Amino acid sequence: MTRSGSSHQEEKQTLKQQAGKILSQVAGYVGVRTMEIGLRFGLLEELAKHPAGISATKLAKQRGMDPFYVQVWCRSAYASDLLELENDQKYILAPHMDKLLLDQDFPGYIGGIPQLMEQPEVFDQFADNMESGQHNWWDQFSPTFIQRVSDTARPFYTRLIPGGLSQVPGLADRLAKDDAYILELACGTGTGLLRLAMTYPQSNLAGVDGDAYSLKLVAEKLQQKGFQDQVQLVQRMLEDLSETEKYDLVVINVSMHECRDLEKVASNVYRALKAGGYFVISDFPFPNSTQECRTVPARLMCGIQFAEAIIDDQLLPTQAFVNLLTKHNFHDVDSFDLSPVHAVTYGQK
């Protein structure tokens, strides 16, 4: 084969590979939409009730849906590795899909992500705002979007409390003492506060958030669980935190990157801590460079960046938080990973 012929063959092979990359992205989109439909209409939940399998026709009957449409969905769910197909043409959930997509208390739960990515506040609003550069804040987002964000953040809390906190040297002993004071910044809809209250029942808790709607949801949850007397709620921006030497632990989950003034928040937290108190930042470990973004976790985080851009911020590398705490005189600053998309940074006053 001549050199020109060899170059032509290499070019054809490269072209084929590049086309495959594009088509795999489109196939991934099909999978996300299939997951979201299955979650929204309870198809995956119904399948979990039938470990021996169920036909598409019976699945449709159980959910009160059209059998032809359900058959189309089942085939796509099988193609996307969500389902397995038995010899008798019955569908069952693929291994571990019940935990990964349905069990909100499973540390590896990712069922909130497909539904979050389908919300208009992610890609649609980003596209609408590209020319104007307009930004929105949480009080302009829908209750559904806020709930989906809460669902996505839930496994971060599951991994963090108490497992992640116990990896911070000395922190578990401090929180085991009576009357420990814990503050959660950007407490959202209260998932973390409830978990903290159940894990450390002897502690005094406070939650701060700038969104009134989220705090309303927190108050309702605390009332339902009987923790309303253990937890104080404050509507305030994190830059306005004014407490002095009060807390043994200040913790923030997947929200530190959203602070308008990171330097001021770090300074406020340092002042709010008792001597020897801890600041724990639980967040996404965004890559340090664009060249590191071609991994599955990084691609997922790049998707989250679309929503973050709408509120005028971006995810940050873990090293940025390490540098921040070191700059503000925290000692024994360090970090560790709890998952490929979950890092913990901590320091002590």
Side-chain angles (χ1 to χ4, degrees):
M1 183 179 293
T2 65
R3 177 171 296 181
S4 60
S6 177
S7 293
H8 180 66
Q9 286 297 110
E10 290 175 358
E11 183 177 356
K12 285 180 64 178
Q13 185 63 28
T14 301
L15 180 61
K16 183 178 179 180
Q17 291 172 348
Q18 295 298 87
K21 292 178 182 179
I22 294 172
L23 290 173
S24 70
Q25 303 289 350
V26 178
Y29 177 73
V30 173
V32 170
R33 294 305 301 264
T34 301
M35 276 187 274
E36 191 277 328
I37 290 171
L39 291 164
R40 185 181 2 147
F41 290 102
L43 293 166
L44 291 166
E45 185 179 2
E46 185 65 39
L47 279 153
K49 299 175 183 177
H50 301 274
I54 185 172
S55 68
T57 301
K58 288 186 177 179
L59 178 61
K61 185 177 181 180
Q62 289 293 109
R63 301 304 303 169
M65 295 177 180
D66 180 80
F68 176 62
Y69 272 65
V70 172
Q71 175 61 59
V72 171
W73 178 85
C74 285
R75 187 181 297 115
S76 180
Y78 172 79
S80 299
D81 290 318
L82 305 178
L83 305 182
E84 300 291 352
L85 183 59
E86 302 293 277
N87 292 332
D88 55 2
Q89 297 302 299
K90 289 182 179 179
Y91 289 96
I92 60 172
L93 288 180
H96 307 301
M97 289 300 165
D98 55 339
K99 295 185 180 69
L100 293 168
L101 294 176
L102 299 172
D103 185 357
Q104 292 191 340
D105 292 321
F106 179 59
Y109 171 71
I110 53 178
I113 297 176
Q115 297 177 97
L116 174 65
M117 291 299 180
E118 286 294 297
Q119 296 304 304
E121 289 89 343
V122 185
F123 296 104
D124 292 348
Q125 282 195 18
F126 181 91
D128 291 342
N129 295 353
M130 282 195 75
E131 292 183 350
S132 67
Q134 175 184 333
H135 299 291
N136 300 333
W137 192 237
W138 286 95
D139 58 359
Q140 297 171 284
F141 292 148
S142 71
T144 302
F145 177 74
I146 290 174
Q147 184 57 53
R148 294 293 176 254
V149 171
S150 177
D151 293 342
T152 303
R154 188 182 183 100
F156 284 76
Y157 284 115
T158 305
R159 292 187 291 263
L160 180 66
I161 307 167
L165 295 181
S166 68
Q167 294 187 42
V168 178
L171 179 55
D173 291 338
R174 187 162 186 134
L175 295 181
K177 297 178 180 179
D178 291 339
D179 296 327
Y181 280 77
I182 303 173
L183 171 65
E184 183 184 6
L185 303 180
C187 63
T189 61
T191 302
L193 285 173
L194 283 171
R195 196 167 183 90
L196 285 166
M198 290 185 287
T199 305
Y200 308 106
Q202 78 288 353
S203 64
N204 299 283
L205 296 170
V208 173
D209 202 281
D211 181 53
Y213 174 75
S214 294
L215 289 176
K216 176 178 177 292
L217 296 179
V218 179
E220 292 172 356
K221 291 179 181 178
L222 292 173
Q223 184 72 36
Q224 291 170 1
K225 299 292 185 179
F227 291 120
Q228 67 274 11
D229 295 332
Q230 187 184 351
V231 184
Q232 177 189 8
L233 299 177
V234 180
Q235 184 180 353
R236 186 181 300 165
M237 299 302 289
L238 306 188
E239 289 81 359
D240 298 327
L241 190 68
S242 58
E243 284 78 0
T244 302
E245 297 184 351
K246 183 174 182 179
Y247 298 103
D248 297 279
L249 168 65
V250 175
V251 60
I252 184 168
N253 185 47
V254 294
S255 295
M256 188 67 180
H257 59 273
E258 294 180 0
C259 296
R260 288 293 176 262
D261 189 335
L262 284 167
E263 304 288 343
K264 190 171 184 179
V265 172
S267 178
N268 288 348
V269 169
Y270 190 88
R271 187 177 61 249
L273 286 167
K274 298 176 184 178
Y278 293 81
F279 185 23
V280 174
I281 300 170
S282 165
D283 218 310
F284 296 95
F286 198 74
N288 290 295
S289 69
T290 300
Q291 288 78 5
E292 297 174 73
C293 286
R294 286 185 174 175
T295 67
V296 171
R299 285 165 59 189
L300 175 62
M301 288 185 278
C302 283
I304 293 171
Q305 295 283 49
F306 283 78
E308 299 295 343
I310 294 171
I311 54 177
D312 196 19
D313 68 63
Q314 292 282 269
L315 303 180
L316 295 170
T318 301
Q319 189 60 45
F321 297 131
V322 171
N323 295 343
L324 179 70
L325 297 194
T326 302
K327 179 180 178 181
H328 285 270
N329 300 316
F330 288 88
H331 64 84
D332 294 327
V333 177
D334 206 346
S335 66
F336 55 86
D337 291 338
L338 289 175
S339 86
V341 294
H342 188 182
V344 173
T345 305
Y346 63 89
Q348 199 170 2
K349 180 174 178 178

